[in-house]
Amino acid sequence: MRVYLSVFLACVSFGVFAGPDAQVSKDPEALKAQLQDYYFDAARRGDVPMLETFIEAGYSLDTRDSKGYTALILAAYHGQGAAVERLLAAGADACAQDQRGNTALMGAIFKGEVQIARTLLAANCSPDQRNGAGQTAAMYAGLFKRVELLDALKAKGADLNAEDPLGNSATRLASGEIRTAAPR
């Protein structure tokens, strides 16, 4: 609870709870949920000073929302490079997966955030980590024609010929060959 109180006080000093309609719960669980919302919002917006407050307070960096997203996944997906770098430097798990198994790297590739993807590639994650559909980051890079990232993934040891359950590989996807499930 000390962490939540510390973060709460910092949020007050930042004016997060400011305004005539600001409602601050006195229930510890509701306060915890409210702070979690502010944490994820700071990651989406790239508010590094606010993230720093959470980091300094000892807030769990790999806290997940209802979809399994971490602050790092959200920052990467929303193109917040400085937030990604700060969260990684503070020890956020770059290999964390959301409920569908997607990682921050997969989100950055999907959104075309090449520099963020390069930053995430430096993390110590398997280049062949798969999501729930059996897809890898290299498959995303192939599908979305992110050739420079495909080359970087290959250099890191990614298997560009690994296949998902439909037979798609990064190599096939990069060449425009997309296999889909047969209609029922």
Side-chain angles (χ1 to χ4, degrees):
M1 190 60 183
R2 179 172 292 177
V3 168
Y4 297 112
L5 181 58
S6 176
V7 173
F8 171 74
L9 293 173
C11 288
V12 169
S13 72
F14 270 99
V16 170
F17 298 118
D21 298 328
Q23 297 291 321
V24 179
S25 177
K26 294 181 181 175
D27 171 39
E29 286 305 308
L31 177 60
K32 181 179 174 182
Q34 201 169 13
L35 288 174
Q36 182 175 307
D37 289 345
Y38 290 125
Y39 177 60
F40 292 133
D41 186 56
R44 277 186 205 93
R45 292 182 294 108
D47 187 341
V48 175
M50 180 58 76
L51 290 172
E52 190 66 42
T53 299
F54 280 91
I55 292 165
E56 289 174 3
Y59 194 78
S60 176
L61 300 181
D62 297 321
T63 296
R64 296 172 183 275
D65 72 5
S66 62
K67 294 181 180 178
Y69 300 147
T70 64
L72 183 62
I73 290 172
L74 291 169
Y77 185 82
H78 290 281
Q80 303 299 338
V84 167
E85 289 176 12
R86 182 62 192 109
L87 288 164
L88 287 171
D93 182 5
C95 308
Q97 295 175 284
D98 65 20
Q99 288 181 351
R100 293 183 176 182
N102 293 312
T103 64
L105 176 58
M106 291 172 181
I109 292 170
F110 173 76
K111 292 292 284 200
E113 297 294 344
V114 174
Q115 189 54 47
I116 291 172
R118 287 189 178 282
T119 298
L120 291 163
L121 273 170
N124 195 20
C125 300
S126 167
D128 291 324
Q129 189 173 5
R130 292 179 180 263
N131 65 14
Q135 300 159 332
T136 65
M139 289 175 194
Y140 276 63
L143 178 64
F144 296 107
K145 309 294 188 226
R146 316 269 192 246
V147 177
E148 67 277 18
L149 293 175
L150 204 51
D151 292 340
L153 282 156
K154 182 178 179 180
K156 188 166 179 175
D159 180 358
L160 303 187
N161 293 311
E163 296 181 354
D164 69 10
L166 297 173
N168 291 305
S169 69
T171 303
R172 285 190 189 109
L173 292 166
S175 71
E177 181 184 334
I178 301 173
R179 297 179 179 189
T180 58
R184 295 180 187 211

